[in-house]
């Protein structure tokens, strides 16, 4: 085995990192006839931290606009190190300079750069440049090479602040103002002020951001004075929040905003009133000067510390002989009795008018009336019954009697309802509709206008009685069997008898299962026999062998012609 050793002192990895050495081995001690072999050995020098970091420049300059956001990165700086790996790791820090409170620096481990960030806002008008002394130092040190140190470097960084046209700045971050309720429209509330931070010092205009259609305040665009635009009620809304915007006249697009809170101050404009509706009860066995109720009051106005309510009986009424009132001077009052014993049978309700006033300026008051009921109580003061039950007891009605009376009333109402229901459920007699009667009965008082006049009467009324009728069924029930087929009558119109005709129709109606089971109206029109004196009707033309054409009646034409002849004969006999 052989050991490979260095032949040079102070080998420098940064100068040369890799070496190749050829090794040859011979047998027979290198004599003639011996064999040999060779190999190549690659040698790599490992790095040690023997090089400090170095900034390429001793002076740097960085431009940062004054509009840069706080916390944002505004620049980078980097030092170089000839070492590699962990030996090249370094940390940056600000060790001096007037900008150490405005800027900060951090190290990016991946790129080994120093990241400069803004800690506080810049203002070109106040300070135009800053100077920083930045140090870069190795984080891993090898004490064997400490004599080569120090392993750090320092550079100077000058930061120039750039001027930017900025929005106006308000003198306060927020404003709180006050105004009294009921103040007149146009009352001054307060003033906001904003200034142009740039060196040009441009004029500023003010406006109110209206988020709703209601405009409660106005502002002077030039002075920033805020005034009321309506009359306020503190009891309705005690606070208002608005936002005021300011912009430069030359740059209206640059806006700044400030919140303004406006408190509505109270004015004594609401009278006091009872805290609630009191149900005051006095027992029949009450004693004089006994407290039966304690009352309190409330006020919609702002009750400041030290203000109190005052209670008293209404002076507009005569002295009450039954009850009195005592002001407890702690915003409460007590109702006391003035006599012994009360009777429900004599009087079950009493009314006590009182007056409540506040201590405001000006003082306001209101009237109220307490309703006091007389009740029967136990010895320990528990209420047993009041005036409603007392009335029943005085009438001699017990609880059982009251229940019996109520039961009788319920039964009577049930009988009435049942009677009305049964009456409404009775079937009404069948009423023949006008449409059903229209084909059988024709009513008219017109003699007619001639043979061509057919509008004065319903021609279907002259239909041949012997013609087959359409099948008619009951409209209230469905027939269970087919109706019997109707056969035309065998009698001829030449010798027809009206009485016989009606009897036939009645027999058909009685035997027809499709007709209703109750009486129905069977109506037939008959003019009568012909008169010897003749008729002025156009139907008389049938007896004089008129050339009238009845074919326009279709299948009813022959029957209609025979009826006309018969009608003429009957009319002649009647007139004779």
């Amino acid at each position: 085995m052989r050991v490979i050793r260095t032949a040079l002192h102070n080998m420098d990895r940064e100068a040369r990192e890799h070496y190749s050495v050829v090794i040859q081995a011979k047998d027979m001690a290198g004599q003639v006839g011996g064999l040999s072999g060779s190999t190549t050995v690659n040698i790599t020098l490992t790095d040690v931290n023997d090089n400090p970091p170095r900034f390429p420049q001793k002076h740097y300059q960085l431009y940062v606009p004054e509009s840069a956001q706080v916390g944002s990165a505004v620049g980078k700086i980097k030092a170089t190190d000839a070492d590699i790996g962990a030996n090249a790791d370094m940390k940056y820090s600000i060790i001096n300079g007037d900008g150490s409170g405005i800027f900060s620096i951090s190290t990016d481990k991946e790129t080994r750069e120093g990241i400069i960030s803004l800690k506080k806002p810049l203002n070109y008008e106040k300070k135009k440049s800053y100077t920083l002394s930045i140090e870069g130092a190795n984080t891993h040190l090898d004490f064997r090479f400490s004599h080569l140190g120090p392993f750090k470097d320092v550079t100077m960084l000058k930061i120039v602040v750039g001027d930017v046209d900025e929005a106006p700045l308000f003198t306060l971050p927020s404003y709180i103002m006050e105004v009294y309720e009921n103040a007149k429209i146009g009352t001054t509330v307060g003033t906001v002020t904003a200034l142009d931070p740039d060196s040009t010092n441009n004029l500023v205009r003010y406006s109110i951001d209206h988020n709703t259609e209601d405009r409660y305040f106005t502002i002077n665009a030039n002075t920033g004075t805020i005034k009321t635009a309506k009359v306020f009620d503190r009891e309705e809304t005690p606070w208002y929040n608005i936002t005021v915007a300011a912009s430069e006249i030359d740059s209206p697009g640059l806006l700044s905003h400030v919140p303004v809170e406006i408190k509505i101050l109270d004015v004594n404009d609401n009278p006091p009133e009872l805290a609630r509706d009191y149900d005051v009860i006095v027992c029949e066995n009450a004693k004089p000067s006994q407290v039966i109720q304690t009352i309190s009051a409330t006020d919609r106005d702002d009750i400041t510390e030290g203000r109190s309510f005052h209670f008293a009986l209404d002076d507009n009424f005569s002295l009450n002989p039954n009850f009195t009132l005592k002001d407890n001077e702690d915003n409460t009052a007590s109702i006391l009795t003035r006599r012994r014993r009360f009777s429900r049978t004599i009087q079950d309700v009493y009314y006590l008018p009182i007056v409540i006033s506040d201590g405001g300026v000006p003082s306001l008051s209101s009237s109220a009336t307490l309703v006091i009921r007389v009740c029967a109580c136990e010895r320990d003061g528990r209420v047993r019954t009041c005036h409603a039950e007392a009335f029943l007891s005085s009438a001699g009605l017990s609880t059982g009697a009251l229940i019996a009376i109520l039961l009788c009333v319920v039964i009577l109402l049930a009988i009435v309802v049942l009677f009305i229901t049964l009456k409404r459920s009775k079937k009404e007699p069948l009423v023949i509709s006008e449409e059903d009667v229209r084909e059988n009965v024709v009513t008219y008082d017109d003699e007619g206008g001639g043979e061509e006049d057919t509008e004065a009467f319903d021609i279907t009324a002259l239909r041949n009685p012997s013609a087959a009728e359409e099948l008619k069924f009951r409209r209230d029930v469905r027939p269970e069997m087919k109706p019997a087929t109707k056969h035309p009558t065998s009698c001829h119109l030449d010798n027809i008898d009206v009485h016989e005709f009606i009897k036939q129709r009645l027999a058909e109606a009685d035997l027809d299962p499709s007709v209703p089971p109750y009486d129905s109206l069977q109506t037939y029109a008959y003019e009568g026999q012909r008169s010897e004196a003749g008729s002025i009707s156009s139907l008389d033309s049938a007896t004089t062998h008129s050339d009238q054409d009845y074919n326009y009646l279709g299948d009813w034409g022959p029957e209609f012609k025979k009826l006309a002849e018969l009608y003429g004969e009957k009319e002649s006999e009647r007139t004779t």
Side-chain angles (χ1 to χ4, degrees), residues 76-225:
K76 298 179 181 179
I77 193 171
K78 184 176 183 181
T80 60
D81 193 327
D83 297 324
I84 61 174
N87 295 323
D89 290 343
M90 66 185 69
K91 181 180 179 181
Y92 298 92
S93 60
I94 299 174
I95 60 176
N96 200 357
D98 57 359
S100 58
I102 306 298
F103 299 92
S104 63
I105 190 169
S106 60
T107 303
D108 189 338
K109 295 181 179 180
E110 297 294 333
T111 62
R112 296 188 175 94
E113 294 176 326
I115 309 300
I116 301 171
S117 302
L118 184 63
K119 293 172 58 177
K120 295 181 179 180
L122 300 175
N123 191 334
Y124 173 83
E125 287 70 29
K126 292 183 178 181
K127 192 172 180 60
K128 297 178 174 58
S129 65
Y130 295 90
T131 301
L132 299 177
S133 180
I134 299 177
E135 178 188 78
N138 286 140
T139 57
H140 299 281
L141 300 178
D142 192 340
F143 295 103
R144 295 174 300 174
F145 304 97
S146 60
H147 62 282
L148 300 177
F151 289 87
K152 58 184 177 181
D153 195 14
V154 178
T155 187
M156 299 299 294
L157 175 63
K158 182 179 180 181
I159 300 176
V160 178
V161 180
D163 186 21
V164 176
D165 189 10
E166 299 175 275
L169 294 178
F170 285 94
T171 56
L172 294 176
S174 62
Y175 292 84
I176 298 178
M177 302 178 182
E178 296 177 344
V179 65
Y180 280 98
E181 66 175 331
N182 301 330
K184 296 181 179 180
I185 296 176
T187 301
T188 300
V189 180
T191 302
V192 297
T193 304
L195 301 174
D196 182 11
D198 299 322
S199 58
T200 55
N201 195 19
N202 293 324
L203 295 178
V204 178
R205 296 185 65 85
Y206 304 92
S207 62
I208 296 178
D209 290 345
H210 294 284
N211 297 326
T212 61
E213 296 181 357
D214 295 332
R215 298 178 180 267
Y216 302 105
F217 303 93
T218 60
I219 188 170
N220 189 298
N222 298 320
T223 63
T225 301

Side-chain angles (χ1 to χ4, degrees), residues 551-566:
N551 292 330
Y552 68 91
L553 295 177
D555 294 337
W556 290 355
E559 287 81 354
F560 182 77
K561 185 175 182 180
K562 293 178 180 180
L563 285 175
E565 294 175 355
L566 180 60

Side-chain angles (χ1 to χ4, degrees), residues 177-443:
M177 302 178 182
E178 296 177 344
V179 65
Y180 280 98
E181 66 175 331
N182 301 330
K184 296 181 179 180
I185 296 176
T187 301
T188 300
V189 180
T191 302
V192 297
T193 304
L195 301 174
D196 182 11
D198 299 322
S199 58
T200 55
N201 195 19
N202 293 324
L203 295 178
V204 178
R205 296 185 65 85
Y206 304 92
S207 62
I208 296 178
D209 290 345
H210 294 284
N211 297 326
T212 61
E213 296 181 357
D214 295 332
R215 298 178 180 267
Y216 302 105
F217 303 93
T218 60
I219 188 170
N220 189 298
N222 298 320
T223 63
T225 301
I226 300 174
K227 296 183 179 181
T228 60
K230 63 174 293 185
V231 178
F232 297 98
D233 185 2
R234 189 205 67 85
E235 288 72 36
E236 180 180 348
T237 307
W239 282 90
Y240 288 89
N241 297 320
I242 63 175
T243 301
V244 177
S247 62
E248 298 179 14
I249 295 179
D250 296 338
S251 301
L254 293 176
L255 294 173
S256 59
H257 299 81
V258 66
V260 180
E261 298 181 10
I262 301 176
K263 181 180 180 181
I264 308 300
L265 300 178
D266 183 54
V267 174
N268 192 29
D269 57 350
N270 291 281
E273 56 188 14
L274 288 176
R276 60 182 177 86
D277 293 333
Y278 289 95
D279 184 15
V280 185
I281 294 175
V282 61
C283 296
E284 286 184 319
N285 56 358
K287 300 178 180 180
S289 301
Q290 179 179 346
V291 177
I292 60 174
Q293 182 70 54
T294 299
I295 62 175
S296 61
T298 184
D299 196 330
R300 295 182 61 195
D301 294 323
D302 187 13
I303 305 301
T304 58
E305 187 176 357
R307 286 182 57 182
S308 60
F309 298 111
H310 303 284
F311 301 85
L313 294 178
D314 196 337
D315 295 335
N316 296 326
F317 296 87
S318 59
L319 181 64
N320 193 307
N322 303 305
F323 304 96
T324 186
L325 181 144
K326 177 185 178 183
D327 192 340
N328 299 324
E329 297 183 355
D330 60 352
N331 293 334
T332 64
S334 299
I335 308 300
L336 296 85
T337 58
R338 298 192 65 179
R339 64 182 181 88
R340 183 186 303 273
R341 293 189 175 277
F342 294 85
S343 176
R344 292 172 294 166
T345 57
I346 298 176
Q347 185 174 352
D348 59 350
V349 177
Y350 292 89
Y351 300 96
L352 184 65
I354 62 174
V355 176
I356 311 170
S357 60
D358 57 21
V361 179
S363 179
L364 299 178
S365 63
S366 65
S367 299
T369 301
L370 293 176
V371 179
I372 304 175
R373 296 188 299 151
V374 181
C375 297
C377 302
E378 304 290 347
R379 290 185 177 181
D380 57 0
R382 291 181 300 171
V383 177
R384 186 173 71 247
T385 57
C386 289
H387 61 279
E389 297 183 5
F391 175 79
L392 293 177
S393 298
S394 63
L397 295 178
S398 63
T399 305
L402 178 62
I403 295 175
I405 292 175
L406 294 177
L407 184 61
C408 293
V409 172
V410 172
I411 295 175
L412 180 60
L413 291 176
I415 293 174
V416 172
V417 172
L418 181 61
F419 176 76
I420 295 175
T421 304
L422 293 176
K423 184 177 181 180
R424 290 182 176 180
S425 63
K426 289 183 178 181
K427 294 184 179 180
E428 299 292 338
L430 179 64
V431 178
I432 299 176
S433 64
E434 181 182 355
E435 182 180 357
D436 294 336
V437 179
R438 178 173 53 85
E439 295 185 358
N440 298 319
V441 178
V442 178
T443 302

Side-chain angles (χ1 to χ4, degrees), residues 59-78:
H59 297 277
Y60 290 89
Q61 183 169 312
L62 181 64
Y63 173 83
V64 180
E66 63 175 337
S67 60
Q69 298 295 322
V70 174
S72 62
V74 295
K76 298 179 181 179
I77 193 171
K78 184 176 183 181

